[in-house]
Amino acid sequence: MDLLSIEKFLCDLSVNQVGPIIKKKSGTQHVYDLKTGERAVDIVTAIDKQVEKLIWDSLKEQYPDFKFVGEESYVKGVTTITDDPTFIVDPIDGTTNFVHDFPFSCTSLGLTINKEPVVGVIYNPHLDLLISASKGNGIRINREPFDHKAKLESMGPLYLNKSVVALQPGSAREGNNFKTKMKTYESLLSCDEGFVHGFRNLGSTAMTLAYIATGNLDSYWDGGCYSWDVCAGWCILKEAGGIIVGANPGEWDIPIDNRSYLAVRGTTEEGGKELQKKYVDDFWKCVKGKLSYD
């Protein structure tokens, strides 16, 4: 399968058709639904649904034999990811940003084969920033090759207490998962435990993973995400030498729909894989509780 040509198709679709809608409609959607109830803030707008239909129609015409998983068409307990080539799509990642006209909403288009992310395209039209990759073909920024190794060399050693970590409280603001997140944040900040340099919340999982891949962040820890949040970014990050494991200690090998994740950037240092492993182990020591999602 020509993954590079699929990547190009998704790039064209993102820039020429999806991006202009997101940019034009950002900040205009003051009527929206809360998908997960009154005690959560998981927002969906009519534009999310419109954009997903546009993407699905375009992909179905070009790749009629591929399967499709999208955020707005997902049905709990029914929608599954198989080994077949499957597009996994978030039409607008960062919908809360989109509603509030904060310029970190994007479209995130991924492809899996045998449940492995092999193509990823993320486009933020507010910044006119297109980040893409396909398995074995490296990363491109705005269609030009990106030298991720040179960027990683400039970042220095990969240590937890020298890192900037991306975190998101998520949409659910009650229960054990919320408490686990808050306690873990405190542990990561504490001078007696993780003592990280700082936190960042971009409000978009896709943009966060893209920024880790391009060397602007060191790691990202979160729970409550879905496969469409991470699919494209997972492929891009892996092409940059990064890894994704589970958010909970000991979860080294996870499926794409794990619902909780720890992403860590690559490193060009000698013994890089061992340094990544140590970073993960040190991070897991700061996790206070267990994230669990149905």
Side-chain angles (χ1 to χ4, degrees), residues 65 109 130 163 280:
D65 297 328
L109 312 181
L130 176 68
S163 62
V280 171

Side-chain angles (χ1 to χ4, degrees), residues 214-231:
T214 55
N216 302 110
L217 291 166
D218 294 293
S219 63
Y220 169 54
W221 181 83
D222 198 9
C225 314
Y226 285 87
S227 59
W228 49 81
D229 295 307
V230 302
C231 183

Side-chain angles (χ1 to χ4, degrees), residues 20-47:
I21 297 174
I22 295 175
K23 187 173 183 179
K24 180 179 180 180
K25 295 296 184 178
S26 179
T28 67
Q29 302 302 295
H30 304 299
V31 177
Y32 48 80
D33 297 324
L34 296 176
K35 292 192 290 186
T36 46
E38 295 180 357
R39 298 176 70 85
V41 288
D42 198 359
I43 294 172
V44 60
T45 72
I47 304 302

